[in-house]
Amino acid sequence: MITGDAAYIKKINRSLIIRHIIKEGMISRADLSKITALTRATISAQVADLLEEGLIVETQLEHNSVGRKPIMLSINRHAGYALGIDLDYGQLSFTLSDLLGQPISSISIKIDTIDYSEIFQLLMGQIKKFQTDYSDSQYGIVGIVIAIHGLVSKDEVIHYVPRLKWDEMNLKRDLESEIDIPIYLENNANVCSFAERVYLHHDTDNLLCTTLYSGIGIGMMMKDEFFRGHDGYAGEAGHMIIVPGGKPCNCGNQGCWEKYASESSIFEYLSEKRKIKNLTYDQIQVWLDEGDAEVHHLMEQLIYYLAIGLNNMINMYNPDVIVLESELLRMFPDSLSKIKRNLTSSISHYRELIISDFGKKSVVLGSCALAIKKFLEVPMLNFTFEEQNEKNESVVILTKNL
């Protein structure tokens, strides 16, 4: 039994009710009482508050049986919006979602700078534009989560972003001084793991998500929480040394995992070798389809080294589900089976290994979902991903050279 002062108990009950309304989609007051074990009086009082606040709505279902038509409760998905931002090397990606985590509008901005002040101005300008364009709802934008491809401390200060060469930047403070919306910073691999947990793996207590895009990061969900470590820097597995004395890395070590098994390592090698400045996935897909021997060899090597690191992660954390975030692995034939064939240890245990279907959307989807979780003050969310037509736009910003 939960004990404490009345305000605390009311907050806990509210969170429980909201979570189950989201989980069920639509639910009656009577069924809420059964599922939560709360009295009907408590349910009625809490529901009245949530209706008054505009966070839930009532729907009367049509049915053919005799008696009163059931009144169903659901989240008012149009009461506000969440904004997820992927701050990556060379690109800013924004997605605005409703309160059920479904994308409404997305925009990508290509950037040709690593200068903090210039990127800050781009961020602030686009956030303010979203704020103006979507001010029609009761709560407006309820929160913003910015995914950082680097080290983010527990107090949400950017400790280090290798590819942007940012060191000890307080982006959260700087934005909050200009924008009156709750802003949160989180590691990109963490929000990817959150997206997988919220939208797909609802019953998974130990989920490990490996992102291979710009380096390698590990996001770990354990019992509905991120595994962060002492300062918040856990998950930087890309800088685990797998080849002693190997290729030099920006972190100062040699032979780091991400120098051998990340997508950026493939792109950097082929761009330099084939003298193509802006190499795309489409071009690599053409080479794969043509049976290009060098590209196929590079992918086989990536899988070989990827499996070495995954073996270490599995033995350290014994995850239930392992999700791989990689466009190249989706493109390469039979990549998942090849990875599994390299995971042959008799002491390595996991239930499921998959390649994510979200692609790079997982970063912004997870960011939106995390902003909603913080706004609603619930321990976890269970969303479904609905394919729908969202407004998409791409913008190219030319500034100084990277």
Side-chain angles (χ1 to χ4, degrees), residues 215-218 235-241 249 251 255-259:
I216 296 181
I218 299 286
E236 290 299 318
H239 299 288
M240 167 177 60
I241 296 173
C249 180
C251 75
C256 290
W257 190 22
E258 68 179 41
K259 301 304 292 184

Side-chain angles (χ1 to χ4, degrees), residues 38-270:
L38 298 174
T39 66
R40 294 200 174 197
T42 298
I43 294 291
S44 294
Q46 289 274 4
V47 165
D49 288 344
L50 291 170
L51 286 168
E52 184 177 355
E53 294 169 27
L55 288 177
I56 63 173
V57 291
E58 291 181 314
T59 303
Q60 191 168 57
L61 292 186
E62 297 292 336
H63 70 122
N64 297 322
S65 59
V66 178
R68 293 181 59 188
K69 297 176 181 179
I71 303 296
M72 307 299 284
L73 306 171
S74 58
I75 292 293
N76 182 4
R77 65 194 306 162
H78 305 298
Y81 305 99
L83 182 59
I85 303 174
D86 182 8
L87 198 171
D88 199 0
Y89 177 84
Q91 181 166 298
L92 296 174
S93 300
F94 302 78
T95 287
L96 192 84
S97 80
D98 62 26
L99 291 187
L100 287 179
Q102 304 308 314
I104 293 171
S105 178
S106 294
I107 183 171
S108 294
I109 299 176
K110 299 291 183 182
I111 54 176
D112 195 20
T113 182
I114 61 173
D115 182 77
Y116 176 80
S117 60
E118 291 186 34
I119 292 175
F120 173 80
Q121 292 300 323
L122 289 173
L123 277 171
M124 188 172 63
Q126 191 57 47
I127 290 170
K128 287 186 174 181
K129 187 175 187 306
F130 272 113
Q131 194 175 16
T132 300
D133 293 347
Y134 292 90
S135 59
D136 56 330
S137 66
Q138 181 175 349
Y139 290 95
I141 297 177
V142 301
I144 300 168
V145 171
I146 304 175
I148 304 297
H149 293 245
L151 299 177
V152 180
S153 67
K154 286 183 176 178
D155 57 0
E156 299 177 71
V157 173
I158 297 174
H159 177 60
Y160 184 53
V161 181
R163 301 192 76 190
L164 294 178
K165 298 180 173 59
W166 287 4
D167 187 20
E168 301 302 329
M169 298 295 191
N170 202 330
L171 179 62
K172 175 184 172 75
R173 179 199 62 199
D174 294 343
L175 284 172
E176 286 182 337
S177 68
E178 302 283 344
I179 297 167
D180 187 24
I181 301 174
I183 294 173
Y184 310 94
L185 266 60
E186 188 55 79
N187 172 266
N188 70 298
N190 280 348
V191 293
C192 284
S193 68
F194 193 70
E196 295 291 336
R197 171 64 179 80
V198 166
Y199 289 96
L200 292 174
H201 303 281
H202 297 156
D203 299 318
T204 301
D205 285 333
N206 294 281
L207 184 145
L208 189 151
C209 182
T210 307
T211 63
L212 306 182
Y213 297 116
S214 56
I216 296 181
I218 299 286
M220 292 171 283
M221 294 293 302
M222 296 183 177
K223 300 289 186 182
D224 295 345
E225 298 290 341
F226 294 126
F227 179 79
R228 298 185 182 278
H230 178 67
D231 295 310
Y233 304 149
E236 290 299 318
H239 299 288
M240 167 177 60
I241 296 173
I242 62 168
V243 181
K247 298 175 184 177
C249 180
N250 290 334
C251 75
N253 284 327
Q254 291 179 287
C256 290
W257 190 22
E258 68 179 41
K259 301 304 292 184
Y260 297 85
S262 67
E263 290 196 353
S264 57
S265 68
I266 299 285
F267 273 85
E268 287 168 8
Y269 175 83
L270 288 173

Side-chain angles (χ1 to χ4, degrees), residues 202-397:
H202 297 156
D203 299 318
T204 301
D205 285 333
N206 294 281
L207 184 145
L208 189 151
C209 182
T210 307
T211 63
L212 306 182
Y213 297 116
S214 56
I216 296 181
I218 299 286
M220 292 171 283
M221 294 293 302
M222 296 183 177
K223 300 289 186 182
D224 295 345
E225 298 290 341
F226 294 126
F227 179 79
R228 298 185 182 278
H230 178 67
D231 295 310
Y233 304 149
E236 290 299 318
H239 299 288
M240 167 177 60
I241 296 173
I242 62 168
V243 181
K247 298 175 184 177
C249 180
N250 290 334
C251 75
N253 284 327
Q254 291 179 287
C256 290
W257 190 22
E258 68 179 41
K259 301 304 292 184
Y260 297 85
S262 67
E263 290 196 353
S264 57
S265 68
I266 299 285
F267 273 85
E268 287 168 8
Y269 175 83
L270 288 173
S271 294
E272 183 177 350
K273 181 77 179 294
R274 304 193 177 189
K275 310 300 181 186
I276 301 175
K277 183 178 180 182
N278 297 310
L279 184 60
T280 65
Y281 287 106
D282 289 340
Q283 179 60 70
I284 293 180
Q285 183 69 72
V286 169
W287 290 332
L288 288 172
D289 293 342
E290 292 174 347
D292 187 300
E294 183 180 37
V295 176
H296 276 260
H297 174 71
L298 287 171
M299 287 302 301
E300 295 286 356
Q301 286 293 104
L302 181 145
I303 284 173
Y304 170 75
Y305 286 112
L306 176 60
I308 292 175
L310 286 178
N311 181 74
N312 295 339
M313 294 295 101
I314 291 166
N315 286 328
M316 278 192 285
Y317 296 107
N318 183 213
D320 181 23
V321 175
I322 307 161
V323 182
L324 304 176
E325 297 277 356
S326 169
E327 187 65 28
L328 289 182
L329 289 179
R330 276 189 296 276
M331 292 161 52
F332 191 54
D334 204 29
S335 59
L336 193 58
S337 296
K338 292 175 180 178
I339 294 168
K340 289 178 179 179
R341 285 197 292 270
N342 280 278
L343 297 173
T344 57
S345 171
S346 60
I347 63 169
S348 295
H349 295 285
Y350 62 93
R351 179 175 61 82
E352 187 177 9
L353 173 66
I354 62 172
I355 298 173
S356 175
D357 290 328
F358 284 140
K360 292 190 175 182
K361 281 185 177 180
S362 65
V363 179
V364 286
L365 284 174
S367 297
C368 288
L370 188 57
I372 295 166
K373 174 184 180 292
K374 291 179 179 295
F375 170 66
L376 295 177
E377 297 183 296
V378 292
M380 183 47 68
L381 301 164
N382 285 6
F383 288 156
T384 56
F385 184 70
E386 305 167 6
E387 290 290 346
Q388 57 187 44
N389 293 324
E390 60 185 283
K391 180 182 176 183
N392 285 280
E393 187 177 355
S394 294
V395 178
V396 177
I397 305 292

